[in-house]
Amino acid sequence: MTRTSSASTAASALPARKIPLKVWFVLGLLMSLVVLNYFDRQTLSILKPIVKADLAFDDKAYSLLTFAFMLPYIVMYVVSGRLIERFGTRICMAIFAIGWSIANIASGMSHSFSHLAASRALLGAAEPGVFPIIQRAILNWVPVERRAQAIGVVLPAGNLGAILAPPLVAVMTTGIGWRAAFILPGVIGVAIAILWWFADTRPAPRAEPVQDAACPEPAKGDEESASVSALLRDRRYWAIIAVRMISDPVWYFYLFWIPGYLQERVGLSLSEVGIVGGLPYIVAMLACLLLGRLVDRSAARGRDPIRTQLRLFAITAALMPLGALITLTSSVAIALIIITIVVTVCQTWFVGFNVLLAGLFPVKVNASAVGVLGAVGASTSLVLNLLAGFILAQFDYVALFAGLAILHPVSAVILLVVIGRTRAKHAAGTTAAGPARQVT
């Protein structure tokens, strides 16, 4: 039997609490770390033509570099969620952030392809932990009625890294050399990781309201294991897994290949990429902030935030077929507009997935839920990025962009069919049964 608790409905009946300054400081550190996370992983894609020439490798070898990054990234996405639930966000974030910062420094010190590949592998092992940590830290620190807003602020902050990377990497490369573009951000990352250690002092809550868990109530002594088991039996979670497997490759392809595409195919210089390369991420960040606020306001009016989020998935997915037109235009401006739309939709979907997880499943399993989703999404992305160099050699970019353009619409249909129907039944059951109880 399905039990409901409707934390969002209960929260909407209460005045929204202000977020304390200490919480904003913690959120600020999370934002800083996710900025560096995105900055560090994008540096190589921006410098692809220069590093390819300096270390003497081609597009097929570049595919192997993305493989070296993404294979440990996938494994650690799963492992990091369990580590966070076992050891907490404080120690895990400090270790992960220092780890990826050292990997970035090592990338800047690389003098061979194999050295660079090893550095990228370490970067891939350390970086994914930040995302389940963000989810768990927000659930630990932020009031339930403010969580969609907090998620909508922190996760899109990664776009600042993507915004800042092109101009700053260009400046550092032209002024000091391409190696400095890896080493200096790595040093900054170590410093912020130390600040995090002293800031994240709140223990995880013992109990938390759950909006909608489709499993029997576990015994107190076996709450965590029962919740994880129930998560893996929940068809809604499997629907989200399937959607991430289908849609995530779009984001990873654009992240790793678009900066090189703009330089090698569109004809932009490194300096020009530095000027315009951040524009898609500025729009994406603003869109995530606005949509997060929209979901919170919808909940405050008594509407189901999950159903609101599903509608947003459907609307944004309808824009993605535009991506197939990138190679058909000779206009740099039109190409950038299309890239901006695709990047924005990808980012709003990542925020939306976290809103779904926070609303549908218990706090204790949210970090693992985020970790598994990130891993399965990165798995299919790994396959695409590994094959991308060979596909480009045979069919050029036309086939890749056309195939990627249909993945989000297919994913939106899955979400609406599986989760949309269960939310309709949930709403009907809540209306018939009256106010739902909280589960602790």
Side-chain angles (χ1 to χ4, degrees), residues 82-143:
R82 299 300 295 164
L83 290 175
I84 293 158
E85 289 167 2
R86 174 66 179 85
F87 298 105
T89 56
R90 185 188 188 198
I91 187 172
C92 288
M93 180 66 96
I95 291 174
F96 290 148
I98 290 174
W100 85 60
S101 298
I102 290 174
N104 214 41
I105 293 171
S107 296
M109 299 174 66
S110 298
H111 289 277
S112 67
F113 178 83
S114 59
H115 185 181
L116 181 60
S119 301
R120 298 301 289 180
L122 177 58
L123 185 71
E127 281 206 334
V130 69
F131 300 106
I133 287 173
I134 287 172
Q135 183 80 355
R136 187 60 183 265
I138 287 175
L139 295 179
N140 287 353
W141 285 89
V142 181

Side-chain angles (χ1 to χ4, degrees), residues 51-370:
V51 178
K52 277 173 59 179
D54 199 0
L55 300 186
F57 60 87
D58 58 13
D59 278 340
K60 292 181 180 179
Y62 182 75
S63 293
L64 295 177
L65 285 178
T66 64
F67 178 85
F69 172 85
M70 294 193 69
L71 182 61
Y73 188 88
I74 293 166
V75 174
M76 286 304 297
Y77 229 137
V78 176
V79 174
S80 62
R82 299 300 295 164
L83 290 175
I84 293 158
E85 289 167 2
R86 174 66 179 85
F87 298 105
T89 56
R90 185 188 188 198
I91 187 172
C92 288
M93 180 66 96
I95 291 174
F96 290 148
I98 290 174
W100 85 60
S101 298
I102 290 174
N104 214 41
I105 293 171
S107 296
M109 299 174 66
S110 298
H111 289 277
S112 67
F113 178 83
S114 59
H115 185 181
L116 181 60
S119 301
R120 298 301 289 180
L122 177 58
L123 185 71
E127 281 206 334
V130 69
F131 300 106
I133 287 173
I134 287 172
Q135 183 80 355
R136 187 60 183 265
I138 287 175
L139 295 179
N140 287 353
W141 285 89
V142 181
V144 63
E145 69 275 11
R146 293 289 194 180
R147 285 177 183 167
Q149 180 187 5
I151 292 171
V153 169
V154 174
L155 278 180
N159 289 315
L160 285 174
I163 293 165
L164 295 173
L168 292 182
V169 168
V171 168
M172 286 186 284
T173 300
T174 56
I176 309 175
W178 66 264
R179 298 181 185 279
F182 290 98
I183 294 173
L184 293 180
V187 174
I188 294 172
V190 172
I192 297 178
I194 294 172
L195 285 177
W196 173 264
W197 173 262
F198 289 104
D200 186 26
T201 55
R202 176 176 293 183
R206 293 181 177 273
E208 183 73 20
V210 181
Q211 180 174 330
D212 190 0
C215 61
E217 184 171 352
K220 289 183 179 179
D222 196 34
E223 181 177 339
E224 182 170 356
S225 61
S227 297
V228 172
S229 175
L231 177 70
L232 296 176
R233 294 195 305 267
D234 195 318
R235 66 193 299 263
R236 299 167 304 174
Y237 186 60
W238 282 102
I240 299 173
I241 286 176
V243 165
R244 288 293 296 266
M245 291 181 70
I246 295 169
S247 62
D248 275 24
V250 181
W251 164 249
Y252 283 102
F253 180 81
Y254 274 68
L255 181 67
F256 290 127
W257 291 87
I258 283 297
Y261 174 81
L262 291 174
Q263 294 175 73
E264 296 169 339
R265 299 302 176 90
V266 177
L268 298 183
S269 66
L270 177 61
S271 299
E272 289 170 333
V273 170
I275 295 172
V276 303
L279 294 178
Y281 301 96
I282 295 174
V283 175
M285 182 176 62
L286 294 175
C288 290
L289 291 171
L290 291 174
L291 293 181
R293 186 63 176 163
L294 175 63
V295 173
D296 276 343
R297 287 187 174 181
S298 176
R301 296 188 181 105
R303 298 171 185 164
D304 182 4
I306 304 301
R307 298 181 75 177
T308 301
Q309 186 61 61
L310 291 175
R311 292 189 190 100
L312 293 175
F313 281 136
I315 293 170
T316 53
L319 300 172
M320 293 301 273
L322 291 172
L325 305 177
I326 292 177
T327 58
L328 302 181
T329 178
S330 58
S331 169
V332 175
I334 293 176
L336 285 172
I337 290 172
I338 295 173
I339 291 169
T340 298
I341 291 172
V342 173
V343 168
T344 299
V345 172
C346 289
Q347 284 293 294
T348 58
W349 273 51
F350 286 136
V351 173
F353 287 129
N354 283 56
V355 172
L356 288 185
L357 294 179
L360 292 174
F361 305 112
V363 171
K364 280 185 174 292
V365 295
N366 253 254
S368 287
V370 172

